[in-house]
Amino acid sequence: MARKATIREVAERAGVSVGTVSNFVSDKKPISPSTRERIESAIRDLGWIPNAAVRVVKGGRSPVIGFLIPDSSNPFFTEVANGIEDVAIANGGLVITCNTAGEAQREAHFAKSLSEMRVAGAVFTEMTASDQHVEQLVASGATVVLFGLSEHARVNTVSVDDELGGFLAGQHLVERGCRNIALLGGPGGEPQLRRREAGIARALTPAHRTEFRRLDAQDNSLKARVAAATEVLRRDPAPDGIICGNDQIALAVLAAATAQGIRVPQDLAVVGYDDIEAASLAAVPLTTVRNPSHEMGRLAAKMIIERTVGDRIALEPELVVRRSTSP
Amino acid sequence: MARKATIREVAERAGVSVGTVSNFVSDKKPISPSTRERIESAIRDLGWIPNAAVRVVKGGRSPVIGFLIPDSSNPFFTEVANGIEDVAIANGGLVITCNTAGEAQREAHFAKSLSEMRVAGAVFTEMTASDQHVEQLVASGATVVLFGLSEHARVNTVSVDDELGGFLAGQHLVERGCRNIALLGGPGGEPQLRRREAGIARALTPAHRTEFRRLDAQDNSLKARVAAATEVLRRDPAPDGIICGNDQIALAVLAAATAQGIRVPQDLAVVGYDDIEAASLAAVPLTTVRNPSHEMGRLAAKMIIERTVGDRIALEPELVVRRSTSP
DNA sequence: ATGAAAGCGCTAACAG
DNA sequence: CTGTTAGCGCTTTCAT
């Protein structure tokens, strides 16, 4: 493969002008059958692959959607990414999933690269959306969607009612008779955790004399989660119900409880969050608050394809009861 | 934000030529301090974001690595992607992870889009590497890496010895006294499964009079895996050892065994493959054959950054023994 | 150290 | 239906 073929070489070989070849590939103007054939074989002979960057230089957008997430090991984000990808592909596009891993430096790199690429759009999670970076993408001309809430007039949002999610989980545990409930969170996502905390608080009627406390894992590693779970289980008085920031944390609680000889659900009720596939496969299948992951991705991608501006979509979570809370 | 600023506007506002601004951003030629300051503030005032597509139109490559995988729900690929991303980011790049989901049409879309984008490189897995698409990326000028084996002179390969992996798993089960071993695979990845099968066969010395049979799940869903696991467990004679194509299949076997009242490891030994994080967290922690996921990703990305051609790297898997095979 | 100008590959507007 | 041509925004010589 010497040098790469260009549209001009294709045109010469087919004996037509570059404009005609361009019309052929874009399929916008009618082409006579004989011309069509000659162009087709010229392209085949030369192995011409159009250069998509030209469209972008000429003011178009790259058919790419950037998706910034805080933790690539969480399957919930993979499910959301699948939703984005399905819509992107249906519209000829691609998705760049960017794992910030909670590092500001990485987030900055992604924001810079995506904006310079002139991506069609970018999807941020609350944990990965610093004002500066969101603004940078907006300024580059990208359609921006935020999972969560925002005041920014040009940013679209897709949110799931976290207060309600917390309430559903809390109510469920109170009904099960739990009197000492803990919330086990993780790094980042503070606004989200606070909304859930408020929902839990609303469920804990004083009439039940229910205790409530919160603890956070240090980072998103399995080790940190197990450590935090172990700590919360050793509290005095011991919690009889734990609501987790996500299902992976809940899985770590299950492991820590087993290690300490605490039985789930007899001694301890555990509620996860998100409803990833592993939740139903766990040693003790997990009760969890389901977020509509795939749908969230689809909706965000749709907004980008349609170049929506400043729209707000609100969704509702759903409590899925499994064995981890049902004696 | 009216129209987006261009380098020309920046140059005018700074009172210099576009060439000087270009030299400033590329940092290749010396710029006098006063000029530098004026350019800096002009860029800030105008909010100029360079258009990365220009570099690509002028013959450069897009600083992007495409990664084609067959199943985004498998954390093994996420770990590999993390390895690719770490190296890509360190070199100013990004990764586009493309989930073919086993569909040829999606693979074709990704190959077309990535080649037209003029990505710096593409990483294929054996399951997602049709000759035609690999060739398309090579023809576009991308550096291609294949996880597996290839004859293609321009393609680099990173392989992990599957025959050895199969042998290690088989040997372990034979030593544990298993006499009726099953291999539970999945769709795609046939060459890989066959190499492992050969390794297992080598471990099954006739002296032990060991039976061996294979079955595949229909697709990558949890449901299909549990169905296949259930079927293999109902065979007569019942298997006393199962080696799985990946850890997620092994997790499904654990679930199916529990449902049928089969105890692991007392009645049945289970070996997974890859060593994803969930393997150690499982109800019964999984013995598994570890593949160096992160390292594989790193090496592939390194080849792309260095524009390596036709290199072959071979790695070795490692048996990790946990409770699913240790009574 | 800075400027001027020729393209990169293709699209789109206009002519014919 | 097809040809001609002026750019898109920036990089890159080649001068100065």
Side-chain angles (χ1 to χ4, degrees):
Chain A
M1 175 213 60
R3 223 176 37 74
K4 230 155 296 109
T6 70
I7 198 175
R8 174 147 51 239
E9 298 170 73
V10 171
E12 274 165 16
R13 187 171 235 270
V16 297
S17 73
V18 295
T20 302
V21 177
S22 177
N23 289 335
F24 169 83
V25 295
S26 66
D27 202 41
K28 292 310 300 173
K29 305 223 174 174
I31 306 283
S32 83
S34 74
T35 307
R36 175 176 295 274
E37 264 180 52
R38 296 199 328 277
I39 296 179
E40 275 168 351
S41 59
I43 291 178
R44 225 177 308 111
D45 297 349
L46 264 34
W48 178 54
I49 300 175
N51 188 331
V54 177
R55 218 168 290 124
V56 180
V57 168
K58 298 187 70 99
R61 311 297 308 180
S62 179
V64 168
I65 295 176
F67 181 31
L68 288 84
I69 62 176
D71 174 20
S72 65
S73 74
N74 188 337
F76 171 71
F77 293 117
T78 307
E79 289 170 14
V80 177
N82 286 152
I84 298 177
E85 195 181 46
D86 287 348
V87 173
I89 287 180
N91 290 277
L94 294 172
V95 180
I96 298 185
T97 299
C98 305
N99 180 217
T100 70
E103 293 170 28
Q105 208 180 336
R106 285 174 72 118
E107 188 179 320
H109 168 71
F110 294 134
K112 179 167 188 280
S113 297
L114 294 174
S115 57
E116 294 187 350
M117 281 179 74
R118 302 288 192 267
V119 295
V123 182
F124 289 84
T125 69
E126 234 166 12
M127 294 90 124
T128 59
S130 85
D131 287 352
Q132 183 190 160
H133 299 146
V134 167
E135 192 52 46
Q136 188 170 13
L137 264 302
V138 169
S140 83
T143 298
V144 172
V145 181
L146 172 66
F147 287 137
L149 306 171
S150 171
E151 311 279 82
H152 198 306
R154 301 192 55 82
V155 168
N156 304 286
T157 64
V158 173
S159 58
V160 187
D161 191 336
D162 285 310
E163 202 273 345
L164 176 58
F167 177 77
L168 292 172
Q171 183 187 45
H172 178 66
L173 290 185
V174 168
E175 283 174 358
R176 287 271 161 301
C178 294
R179 288 296 173 269
N180 197 316
I181 297 175
L183 171 61
L184 191 51
E190 189 52 30
Q192 196 171 43
L193 281 170
R194 236 176 344 236
R195 291 194 295 267
R196 293 184 193 169
E197 211 169 335
I200 296 171
R202 176 159 67 91
L204 305 191
T205 53
H208 293 103
R209 289 168 298 122
T210 304
E211 293 291 322
F212 171 70
R213 285 157 80 196
R214 171 172 163 194
L215 182 73
D216 286 344
Q218 294 259 8
D219 58 58
N220 287 321
S221 69
L222 175 54
K223 201 176 151 188
R225 285 169 181 157
V226 171
T230 302
E231 184 182 336
V232 85
L233 291 175
R234 289 217 173 107
R235 280 178 175 175
D236 184 20
D240 54 6
I242 300 188
I243 298 172
C244 304
N246 63 48
D247 288 334
Q248 302 202 287
I249 295 175
L251 260 17
V253 169
L254 248 36
T258 302
Q260 292 184 41
I262 298 172
R263 295 167 305 164
V264 175
Q266 297 90 328
D267 308 330
L268 174 72
V270 179
V271 179
Y273 216 104
D274 291 341
D275 195 23
I276 62 176
E277 192 175 77
S280 63
L281 255 191
V284 181
L286 274 181
T287 291
T288 190
V289 179
R290 175 184 296 158
N291 272 334
S293 53
H294 206 267
E295 182 66 6
M296 291 169 69
R298 269 190 201 296
L299 288 170
K302 190 153 168 283
M303 287 167 150
I304 290 169
I305 301 297
E306 294 171 352
R307 302 174 141 299
T308 306
V309 170
D311 196 7
R312 275 87 171 88
I313 294 184
L315 304 173
E316 293 206 343
E318 180 190 353
L319 182 72
V320 180
V321 179
R322 299 204 185 88
R323 269 225 328 277
S324 70
T325 59
S326 315
Chain B
M1 173 216 59
R3 227 177 33 77
K4 228 156 296 107
T6 71
I7 197 176
R8 173 147 50 238
E9 299 169 74
V10 171
E12 273 165 17
R13 186 172 239 270
V16 298
S17 72
V18 295
T20 301
V21 177
S22 177
N23 289 335
F24 169 84
V25 294
S26 66
D27 204 42
K28 293 311 297 175
K29 304 219 175 175
I31 306 283
S32 82
S34 74
T35 307
R36 175 177 296 275
E37 264 179 53
R38 290 191 341 269
I39 296 179
E40 275 168 351
S41 58
I43 291 177
R44 225 177 310 110
D45 296 349
L46 265 35
W48 178 55
I49 300 175
N51 187 331
V54 177
R55 218 170 289 124
V56 180
V57 167
K58 301 191 67 103
R61 310 297 309 179
S62 178
V64 167
I65 295 177
F67 181 30
L68 287 84
I69 62 175
D71 174 21
S72 65
S73 74
N74 187 338
F76 172 71
F77 293 117
T78 307
E79 289 170 14
V80 177
N82 286 152
I84 297 176
E85 194 181 48
D86 287 349
V87 174
I89 287 179
N91 289 277
L94 294 173
V95 180
I96 297 185
T97 298
C98 307
N99 179 217
T100 69
E103 293 169 28
Q105 207 180 338
R106 285 172 73 117
E107 188 179 319
H109 168 72
F110 294 133
K112 178 168 188 282
S113 297
L114 293 174
S115 58
E116 294 186 352
M117 279 180 74
R118 301 289 191 267
V119 295
V123 182
F124 289 85
T125 68
E126 236 166 11
M127 294 90 124
T128 58
S130 84
D131 288 352
Q132 182 191 160
H133 298 146
V134 168
E135 191 53 46
Q136 187 171 14
L137 265 302
V138 169
S140 83
T143 298
V144 172
V145 181
L146 173 66
F147 288 138
L149 305 171
S150 169
E151 312 279 79
H152 198 306
R154 301 190 55 82
V155 168
N156 303 286
T157 64
V158 173
S159 57
V160 188
D161 192 335
D162 286 309
E163 201 275 344
L164 176 58
F167 177 77
L168 292 172
Q171 184 187 45
H172 179 64
L173 290 186
V174 168
E175 283 173 357
R176 273 198 76 282
C178 293
R179 289 297 174 268
N180 197 315
I181 297 175
L183 172 59
L184 190 51
E190 189 53 30
Q192 198 173 41
L193 280 171
R194 238 179 341 240
R195 292 193 295 268
R196 292 183 192 168
E197 211 170 334
I200 295 171
R202 177 158 68 90
L204 305 192
T205 53
H208 292 106
R209 290 168 297 123
T210 304
E211 296 291 324
F212 171 69
R213 285 157 82 197
R214 173 174 162 191
L215 180 73
D216 286 344
Q218 294 259 8
D219 58 58
N220 288 322
S221 69
L222 175 55
K223 200 176 151 189
R225 285 169 180 156
V226 171
T230 302
E231 183 182 336
V232 84
L233 290 175
R234 291 219 170 107
R235 278 179 176 173
D236 184 22
D240 53 7
I242 300 187
I243 297 171
C244 303
N246 62 49
D247 289 334
Q248 301 201 289
I249 296 175
L251 260 18
V253 169
L254 248 37
T258 301
Q260 294 184 37
I262 298 171
R263 295 168 306 164
V264 175
Q266 296 91 326
D267 309 329
L268 174 73
V270 179
V271 180
Y273 216 104
D274 292 339
D275 196 23
I276 61 177
E277 193 176 76
S280 63
L281 255 191
V284 181
L286 274 182
T287 291
T288 189
V289 179
R290 175 184 295 158
N291 271 335
S293 53
H294 205 267
E295 182 66 5
M296 292 169 68
R298 269 190 201 296
L299 288 169
K302 191 153 167 282
M303 288 168 151
I304 289 168
I305 301 297
E306 294 170 353
R307 302 175 141 296
T308 306
V309 171
D311 197 6
R312 273 88 172 89
I313 294 184
L315 304 173
E316 294 204 344
E318 181 191 351
L319 183 73
V320 180
V321 179
R322 298 203 184 90
R323 270 227 325 279
S324 70
T325 59
S326 314

